[in-house]
Amino acid sequence: MNIILFGPPGAGKGTQAKYLVKKINGFQVSTGDMLRDEIKKNSQIGKKIINDMNDGKFVSDEIVNELIKKVIFDEKYKNKLIFDGYPRSLKQAKNLKTILESSNQKIDYIFFLNVEKEVIIKRVEKRKTLEKRSDDDSNIILKRYDTYMDMTRPVLDFYSKNSNFYEIDGALKIEQITAKIDAFLNV
C-alpha cells in the first residue's frame, strides 16, 4: 500500500507518517528529512538546499525527484511507501505517477491535511522549542506556507478528482486525525 500525505508545513504530515509506518509496516518518504540529511552531509546539494530553504523557497523538482526515484526503485520499499510532503508541485505529482507506473506501483490513498495559517504558526512555534529545527523560523514558515498554498493548488486539483483522495481537517487533535485515516484505510 502506497500513501500520500500532503498539507502545508506544520500540518502534521510527519506525525501521521510515523504512525502509518508502524501501522502498515511501511517506509516514510520524507523529502524534508532527505533534504535535511543532504544539509547535514554538507554536500553541494545540501548547500543549495539550505540557501533555498533559508530564502523560504522550495528545493528544485530535479533534486527532489532524483532522491524520490532512488527510494521508489528500492525493492525493500515496494508498495510500502508513505510520502510525507511529496509531491508539492504538479510537475512532481506527474513525475511520481510516471515513476510509480514504471515500477509497477500506484498510490492507494491520498490524504490532504488542510490547516489554516494561524494553526500552523502555533504548531511551528511549539515544534521549534521541542525539536530545534533550523527551518522552523516563523517568518520563513509564513513564506513557505504562502508559497505552498500557491504551488499546491494544481496538485490539489490533480488529486482531488481521484476516488482515493480524502481531505482531513488538519486542525484536529493528532488522535482524531489518526482515527479518520484509520477509518479510510479500514485496516
Side-chain angles (χ1 to χ4, degrees), residues 57-96:
K57 297 177 190 171
F58 286 109
V59 178
S60 77
D61 286 341
E62 290 74 27
I63 291 172
V64 175
N65 289 340
E66 197 53 44
L67 294 172
I68 291 292
K69 193 174 186 178
K70 288 178 189 174
V71 174
I72 290 174
F73 279 98
D74 189 324
E75 280 298 313
K76 68 183 170 206
Y77 304 131
K78 192 168 186 168
N79 291 312
K80 294 181 178 185
L81 300 168
I82 299 150
F83 294 94
D84 167 10
Y86 181 89
R88 284 191 169 151
S89 69
L90 187 55
K91 184 177 178 181
Q92 287 179 355
K94 289 178 177 178
N95 179 69
L96 178 61

Side-chain angles (χ1 to χ4, degrees), residues 6 15 20-21 26-27 30-31 42 48 57 59 76 79 96 101 117 124 139 141 150 152 156 160-161 167 180:
F6 77 108
T15 300
L20 287 167
V21 163
F27 176 76
S30 166
T31 54
N42 202 27
K48 169 80 174 111
K57 297 177 190 171
V59 178
K76 68 183 170 206
N79 291 312
L96 178 61
E101 285 173 354
K117 191 186 290 191
V124 168
N139 294 326
I141 287 295
D150 288 341
T152 49
L156 226 97
S160 64
K161 297 174 185 121
E167 184 171 338
K180 287 189 177 287

Side-chain angles (χ1 to χ4, degrees), residues 1 18 34 38 50 56 75 77-78 86-88 96 98 103-104 110 114 118 125 131 135 157 168 176 182 187:
M1 174 184 319
K18 285 173 180 49
M34 293 167 125
E38 289 296 323
I50 194 83
E75 280 298 313
Y77 304 131
K78 192 168 186 168
Y86 181 89
R88 284 191 169 151
L96 178 61
T98 301
S103 67
N104 295 317
I110 304 158
N114 194 1
E118 295 74 28
E125 287 299 321
E131 296 180 25
D135 58 332
D157 293 341
I168 299 172
Q176 293 172 307
D182 278 349
V187 289

Side-chain angles (χ1 to χ4, degrees), residues 104-173:
N104 295 317
Q105 298 183 72
K106 65 181 174 58
I107 294 298
D108 298 288
Y109 294 92
I110 304 158
F111 297 110
F112 173 53
L113 304 181
N114 194 1
V115 188
E116 297 296 320
K117 191 186 290 191
E118 295 74 28
V119 174
I120 297 294
I121 294 167
K122 288 177 188 167
R123 284 188 182 167
V124 168
E125 287 299 321
K126 184 177 179 183
R127 185 173 76 182
K128 184 178 181 179
T129 306
L130 297 174
E131 296 180 25
K132 311 274 191 264
R133 280 182 34 180
S134 63
D135 58 332
D136 276 346
D137 176 86
S138 296
N139 294 326
I140 292 172
I141 287 295
L142 288 175
K143 192 171 182 180
R144 286 177 62 212
Y145 179 90
D146 292 337
T147 303
Y148 176 85
M149 293 310 282
D150 288 341
M151 283 181 70
T152 49
R153 279 195 211 295
V155 179
L156 226 97
D157 293 341
F158 182 76
Y159 285 127
S160 64
K161 297 174 185 121
N162 295 352
S163 61
N164 62 347
F165 174 88
Y166 303 95
E167 184 171 338
I168 299 172
D169 180 358
L172 295 171
K173 293 183 176 175

